Amino acid sequence: MPTDVLIIGAGAAGLSAALELSRAGLRVEILEARDRVGGRMFTRLDPTLNHPIELGAEFVHGLTPEIWLPAQQHNLKVTEVEGDLWCSIDGKLQKCNFFAQADKILSVMEDEFVDSNKSDESFLDFLARRFPGENHEEAKHWATGYVSGFNAADPGLVSVRWLVDSRRSDEQIEGERAFRIAGGYQKLTDIFLRELHDRDVQIRLNTIVTNIKWNSGSVEIFANGPQAETSFFAPRALVTLPLGVLQATGFVRFEPELLAIKQAALEKLAMGKVVRVTLCFRERFWQDLHGTPDSRTLAKLSFLFSRDKFFPTWWTQMPKPLPIITGWSAALAAENFAGMSEGAIVDQAATSLSSILHIEKSKLQSQLTAGYFHDWDSDPFSQGAYSYVKVGGEGCQRTLGLPLSNTLFFAGEATDTSGHNGTVHGAIASGQRAAREILESK
């Protein structure tokens, strides 16, 4: 039987849209370039610890229905992140107080731009205007680090208006709280896959879309499949390609080209850079380390922040006492890894961690059993981690997500208009929104 809707991409947006459309009785087919589903959700299993390792998305941010509803319906265990926050400042491990400092600056930003007509500016321009000179130097450092680390955004490019909208959206879902799904995001993906299988939705893996030829009421998609180039036909198609892929010249060609307003929207969005490395050890050697002058041990270490050039942020699996720690490098810090091999990046992670914790690298390496890394920036099917909005880009996510002639539809975290782009739940929401648009176009 003929296909009603072709979906390009089997990430969170594509899978959630396929669910909604198939539930409504439409015949759906998904084309996926990778040899797996999930997109930027990518769970591996460490065989020694028998524990999931996330190479992409890891946390559930806040009480978002897009994730919590299926998790509760299918009895997935979800655990809130707990534990102590530590900072390495001037070579000393101590209790963190930077959140309060950074929040004062971010609150000033929010007060200035909420419901105002002030012109947009970058975060660095905002700091220079409102906190000039060397005053508040410590607070400005941590606030900049937060914007860069959490949003994977260049503080010299990111829109202050977008940052404010994102903060307000997070407040509505208690976004400051972080959770993990037991078994990793693979468990959520498995839920989607089981229902799609039951509804006879075909997912074609290793199918790399090269051309999308469309006119009103008709789409022909050309792709390089496992055997040879092939084509697919449907009256409508949903494009859920990551922003980095859409921005890559010639990677996927649209015939006719995307409208000028969509091209302009693409230019106002940026794909954040992230390098993350997860290190697995024989034991939690950090639990016996002490702070200075704080006499507590790091036994309940959850997050560790520093000014390390390469990996300024680390986290453990708390509240689970597992010998696993993840290093996070985003935005400008991530650019330090340009041209480095996977082995060199994992080695640098060990170097950074040993320096921050004041432990000999050789001792740390003697405990190391595995290092996990995926280069999202060089991955041709993502070309970056997740999106943010540049100065003057207000409304560009909505524009990017607008359908064309009720024929070509768009979803993906970069098209989310609820203030949650860059997240799994934002991607799911965008897929559900696009599915509604397709159903309303019938």
Side-chain angles (χ1 to χ4, degrees):
M1 296 181 70
T3 300
D4 294 315
V5 183
L6 286 166
I7 296 178
I8 304 172
L15 295 175
S16 61
L19 278 178
E20 298 297 321
L21 295 171
S22 60
R23 287 168 182 168
L26 271 64
R27 293 177 294 277
V28 179
E29 191 169 351
I30 303 176
L31 310 179
E32 169 56 49
R34 305 181 191 275
D35 60 1
R36 60 176 181 83
V37 302
R40 285 166 277 172
M41 298 181 291
F42 189 10
T43 307
R44 298 274 297 276
L45 185 71
D46 181 78
T48 302
L49 298 171
N50 193 33
H51 190 77
I53 304 294
E54 296 288 22
L55 300 184
E58 177 171 347
F59 298 106
V60 177
H61 298 282
L63 305 177
T64 166
E66 290 83 7
I67 293 176
W68 281 91
L69 284 178
Q72 291 171 344
Q73 290 168 353
H74 294 270
N75 298 314
L76 294 186
K77 183 180 179 182
V78 182
T79 304
E80 187 162 9
V81 173
E82 297 175 356
D84 297 333
L85 305 181
W86 286 82
C87 282
S88 175
I89 302 174
D90 298 328
K92 297 178 180 179
L93 290 170
Q94 55 190 274
K95 183 179 180 180
C96 283
N97 64 353
F98 82 86
F99 277 113
Q101 296 181 58
D103 200 56
K104 288 180 181 178
I105 287 179
L106 297 174
S107 294
V108 170
M109 177 185 73
E110 192 166 340
D111 291 342
E112 274 204 17
F113 282 87
V114 167
D115 302 325
S116 77
N117 294 318
K118 292 182 70 70
S119 297
D120 197 9
E121 60 187 342
S122 75
F123 186 70
L124 287 188
D125 286 342
F126 162 75
L127 289 181
R129 178 175 60 80
R130 287 294 279 111
F131 301 92
E134 296 182 2
N135 292 333
H136 311 284
E137 201 63 33
E138 186 81 3
K140 287 191 291 185
H141 167 81
W142 290 118
T144 303
Y146 173 80
V147 167
S148 299
F150 187 77
N151 298 288
D154 182 335
L157 297 177
V158 66
S159 160
V160 164
R161 283 200 167 278
W162 173 75
L163 288 172
V164 169
D165 289 344
S166 296
R167 277 173 60 82
R168 296 189 76 190
S169 298
D170 282 344
E171 289 168 5
Q172 295 172 4
I173 62 166
E174 299 183 44
E176 76 283 356
R177 298 172 66 185
F179 305 82
R180 289 188 185 90
I181 300 171
Y185 266 111
Q186 182 64 51
K187 294 296 183 182
L188 186 67
T189 305
D190 289 343
I191 289 173
F192 293 162
L193 287 178
R194 283 196 296 270
E195 184 173 344
L196 290 173
H197 178 268
D198 292 342
R199 295 185 178 280
D200 295 323
V201 174
Q202 184 171 8
I203 303 176
R204 295 181 181 270
L205 301 178
N206 300 300
T207 303
I208 304 170
V209 171
T210 57
N211 291 68
I212 302 172
K213 189 174 182 179
W214 66 280
N215 54 56
S216 183
S218 175
V219 182
E220 183 177 11
I221 295 175
F222 297 87
N224 292 322
Q227 280 77 41
E229 184 179 69
T230 186
S231 59
F232 304 87
F233 298 88
R236 285 157 294 181
L238 171 59
V239 179
T240 73
L241 296 169
L243 174 67
V245 176
L246 287 173
Q247 291 175 325
T249 303
F251 194 87
V252 177
R253 292 185 295 275
F254 290 84
E255 300 178 39
E257 290 187 350
L258 294 178
L259 299 179
I261 57 169
K262 281 196 181 289
Q263 302 276 12
L266 286 170
E267 292 176 2
K268 285 295 184 181
L269 290 163
M271 198 66 158
K273 294 178 180 291
V274 168
V275 172
R276 59 173 288 165
V277 172
T278 297
L279 303 177
C280 298
F281 297 94
R282 290 186 176 86
E283 59 185 29
R284 297 171 70 242
F285 61 86
W286 56 84
Q287 68 182 359
D288 298 322
L289 300 178
H290 288 261
T292 307
D294 194 327
S295 61
R296 292 176 304 158
T297 70
L298 273 65
K300 294 184 179 180
L301 171 66
S302 177
F303 278 84
L304 173 61
F305 303 95
S306 75
R307 294 186 174 181
D308 185 75
K309 175 183 177 181
F310 291 95
F311 288 99
T313 302
W314 294 83
W315 62 77
T316 69
Q317 292 293 303
M318 285 295 289
K320 287 190 174 183
L322 292 165
I324 299 173
I325 190 165
T326 297
W328 179 264
S329 179
L332 300 180
E335 293 182 0
N336 292 318
F337 295 97
M340 289 177 63
S341 66
E342 177 175 344
I345 291 172
V346 173
D347 184 70
Q348 179 58 57
T351 300
S352 293
L353 185 60
S354 66
S355 175
I356 295 168
L357 294 179
H358 310 297
I359 183 172
E360 291 181 11
K361 183 180 177 182
S362 59
K363 184 177 179 181
L364 183 148
Q365 288 179 315
S366 70
Q367 290 280 335
L368 186 64
T369 59
Y372 294 89
F373 165 75
H374 183 80
D375 189 345
W376 294 102
D377 204 43
S378 298
D379 185 324
F381 307 128
S382 61
Q383 304 198 32
Y386 47 87
S387 69
Y388 65 91
V389 177
K390 296 193 289 188
V391 176
E394 190 171 12
C396 59
Q397 299 122 306
R398 179 180 179 276
T399 301
L400 185 59
L402 288 174
L404 297 176
S405 301
N406 282 332
T407 301
L408 215 55
F409 298 80
F410 296 84
E413 54 87 9
T415 72
D416 176 62
T417 57
S418 64
H420 300 299
N421 59 295
T423 66
V424 173
H425 61 268
I428 293 173
S430 76
Q432 293 171 343
R433 181 262 307 155
R436 289 193 298 271
E437 292 171 344
I438 291 170
L439 293 171
E440 291 166 3
S441 73
K442 292 176 62 179

